[in-house]
Amino acid sequence: MAEDKYISGYCLIENNRVALNSQTVFEAPGLPFVDFAKQAYQHAETGYAKFFKMDNLSKLAFLAADMLLKKEVKEGEENNIALLFANKSSSLDTDVKHQESITDRENYFPSPAVFVYTLPNICMGEISIRHKLYTENSFFIFAQFNAGFFANYTDILMDTGKAEKVLCGWVEYYKDNYKAFMYLVSDSGTIAHTQQNIQKLYTGQ
């Protein structure tokens, strides 16, 4: 039931700022996303070299997820944390780059390193590998953030025993416009897992 679930932590990344549970933990105004992401990664002492090979959508999702999961995931234990993500632009930012690399026959240079990121759910794979999650995961595309969908789908996952916890995330990246909002739902915490609370946290209220 929805009243038995709580938002135990949440992370918001936008406008060159990383906030965890409403507290700014890193900020680098004026930088393009690539440089901001690199500095945020270094600040968090993430220690995952593959990060630098990821596309921007995956970097954004990875940073937000790592803020919430690095203290949550227990080494050597089964961590039944499902991933439920969505966005508006899918992997369009990388799709465009890949298309540009194959359109010009005079400068034909399609790269497998780019092609592999032409699906939005690849970012979930990166997070699952990092945190050794062998759990349910789904990525949806919506025209806008849909708090009701996240609330209902999470209830189903937890009520049916498919997940003990759910990491929900809106991860949008297109042409340097970006926003990541992630939150972890569990059976303990202080913020009730309701559509209204999810919407408030998404808007930074």
Side-chain angles (χ1 to χ4, degrees), residues 74-185:
K74 297 176 176 61
E75 194 76 28
E77 295 183 14
E78 182 179 350
N79 294 283
N80 190 5
I81 304 172
L83 304 179
L84 177 61
F85 288 9
N87 75 1
K88 176 183 178 181
S89 300
S90 184
S91 56
L92 188 58
D93 191 75
T94 298
D95 297 348
V96 170
K97 292 173 182 171
H98 179 65
Q99 180 63 37
E100 290 173 347
S101 74
I102 62 177
T103 298
D104 185 353
R105 291 294 171 181
E106 298 299 321
N107 295 292
Y108 187 77
F109 59 98
S111 169
V114 175
F115 177 74
V116 72
Y117 289 104
T118 55
L119 288 171
N121 61 332
I122 297 302
C123 67
M124 307 177 95
E126 300 285 10
I127 294 164
S128 295
I129 291 168
R130 163 66 167 172
H131 295 287
K132 298 181 175 59
L133 299 177
Y134 309 100
T135 52
E136 294 277 332
N137 64 77
S138 298
F139 200 116
F140 295 86
I141 310 299
F142 295 117
Q144 59 188 10
F145 180 71
N146 189 335
F149 171 82
F150 279 109
N152 293 333
Y153 203 112
T154 297
D155 282 348
I156 292 170
L157 287 170
M158 295 179 70
D159 290 344
T160 57
K162 292 186 179 298
E164 294 177 1
K165 302 176 183 177
V166 181
L167 179 67
C168 299
W170 176 262
V171 188
E172 170 67 13
Y173 188 101
Y174 185 56
K175 291 187 174 179
D176 292 329
N177 294 309
Y178 64 89
K179 179 171 184 172
F181 167 62
M182 287 196 188
Y183 61 95
L184 185 66
V185 183

Side-chain angles (χ1 to χ4, degrees), residues 16-33:
N16 288 32
R17 173 176 173 264
V18 180
L20 181 64
N21 300 327
S22 296
Q23 301 297 313
T24 299
V25 295
F26 179 75
E27 199 167 20
L31 294 179
F33 177 79

